[in-house]
Structure formats: C-alpha cells, structure tokens
Amino acid sequence: MNSDEAEVIGAGPFDTWLDAMRESLRGDGGTNVPCGDCRGCCVSSYFIPIRPTDAAAAHISPELRVRAPGQPAGHTMMGYRADGTCPMLVNRQCTIYPYRPQTCRDYDCRIFAAAGIDAGGPEKIVINRRVRAWRFTYATDTAERTHHAIRATASFIRHHAAEFPNGRAPTSPTGVAVLAVKSYGVFLDPAVGALSDREKANAIVVASRAFDTPEHEPPTRALF
Ligand code: SF4
Ligand code: SF4
C-alpha cells in the first residue's frame, strides 16, 4: 500500500453490526470482529476488568490484579506492562485465549467507527488506526441515515456535556460511543431540530434509560 493511501478494511453491513452491538450491550450475545492479525486491544494500556464469573480469574496471578474500584469484593482489574501491553500477551498471542475475560470477548472497536470518534489518545494509536480503516456497507438508505444519527448523537454528547442533567455526560470515548448507540433514535426524529440543546440532552438520557429497560423502549426504527 502506498503510504499516501489510507488503509481500508471492511466492517460489514452496518445494520447487521448495529443489531448485534445493541444485543451485546444488553448482555444478549456479542459481535464477531474480523480482527485479522490486529492486536490493538491487547497493546493499548487498558485495565481489564476480571469478574468473579470470568474463567480468566483462575488463570491470572493475583499479583497482576488490583481490586476494581467501586465494585463488590471479588471484582478485580488487570493492569498492563510499561509498554502498554497486556501481561497475558506473549509473542503477539494471548496465552489465556480460551479463558480470556468477558471484556476481551465483548470488545469491538467498530463502535468508535460507528460513532465517528477515536478510541483514545496516543496510547490507543493501534486501535485508532483500525478505527479509521473500518468501512461499513449500507444495504438501505435507512442504514446510512442510522449511522449518521449515531455520529450526530456522539458529537452532541461530546460538545454539550453541560446540557445534561447535573452537567454530567460521558467523557471517555467508550462512554460516548455506547450512549450514542443506545440513544441515536433522538437524532433520527425529524423533530429533533426544533428541540433546544437541553431538551436534546434530556431526550438522550430518556432514550438510554429506555434502552436499559427494553420493555419501555419505543420502536426506534419506526421513527423514520
Ligand atoms: S482493535 Fe479492533 S480489530 Fe484490533 S484486535 Fe481489538 S477489536 Fe480487533
Ligand atoms: S487477556 Fe488476552 S485477549 Fe485480553 S487483553 Fe490480554 S492478551 Fe488480549
């Protein structure tokens, strides 16, 4: 590849990815990331939560873990080496792959591509490169408009934190992207243009709560 050419990697059909991601966020399944030889997640200075239910807990030395702040006893976090790599990574292979933590199984960097943001700063450079390379396909105009709505929601969250209740909105890239995927229906509604920024922020919070209690969630795709 010419150094002037941007790398492009197929991310798959957007609507299929979105359905799987929303199911994953509800704890009902997961996505299947075509990672290839990328090891971005394993080299990017992430603290990895180890839940008591994770088989990984029996395969990771307690010396590599600290208690997870704000979590009940038994929840720990695994840190990373000085170069940002996970202690379980050797020769670019996960040494506990069959037992890797749920967080590693759930991680899908395409959520940042969906939200139109990087995964983080310089310590996430490998992931950011991948995020910028992903290209979704769109089977319908609706799928493309849905992607635009997610990007618009993420941009709003990043630039209008003060409008959210108590002036609090997610600031981490993961928090912004997850909230956008939960609440993008707000920016699909043609009436959104008539809302004040405060009303948009409140609508995002309401939509996110509805997502977390699916029986109350309005049919997002009926908003077209
Ligand atoms: S950064 Fe993305 S593509 Fe790379 S290993 Fe992680 S999830 Fe897979
Ligand atoms: S536990 Fe394995 S999959 Fe998870 S970050 Fe470490 S090396 Fe990567």
Side-chain angles (χ1 to χ4, degrees), residues 93-183:
Q93 299 300 325
C94 175
T95 53
I96 58 165
Y97 191 79
Y99 313 105
R100 66 196 186 286
Q102 192 62 43
T103 296
C104 304
R105 298 169 192 268
D106 292 342
Y107 193 95
D108 183 344
C109 67
R110 290 175 295 181
I111 196 170
F112 301 111
I117 60 177
D118 278 346
E123 79 287 359
K124 303 287 188 289
I125 188 170
V126 179
I127 302 176
N128 291 342
R129 199 179 302 137
R130 188 73 170 208
V131 167
R132 294 174 190 185
W134 287 128
R135 294 290 184 281
F136 289 104
T137 58
Y138 307 97
T140 62
D141 289 348
T142 299
E144 196 160 4
R145 279 167 42 208
T146 300
H147 192 176
H148 283 304
I150 292 176
R151 286 175 181 247
T153 307
S155 178
F156 181 87
I157 295 165
R158 292 177 69 210
H159 296 110
H160 296 87
E163 304 294 342
F164 283 76
N166 302 315
R168 296 182 59 187
T171 54
S172 74
T174 301
V176 170
V178 167
L179 181 54
V181 165
K182 288 181 176 180
S183 64

Side-chain angles (χ1 to χ4, degrees), residues 183-204:
S183 64
Y184 66 88
V186 172
F187 276 80
L188 276 177
D189 189 338
V192 70
L195 299 180
S196 68
D197 287 344
R198 180 62 52 91
E199 288 169 331
K200 289 174 189 165
N202 283 332
I204 287 171

Side-chain angles (χ1 to χ4, degrees), residues 12-20 136-140 142-143 146 221:
F14 186 76
D15 45 3
T16 303
W17 173 83
L18 182 59
D19 286 345
F136 289 104
T137 58
Y138 307 97
T140 62
T142 299
T146 300
R221 297 208 169 135

Side-chain angles (χ1 to χ4, degrees), residues 42 48 86 88-89 94 101 104:
C42 312
I48 311 285
C86 173
M88 299 296 105
L89 191 72
C94 175
C104 304

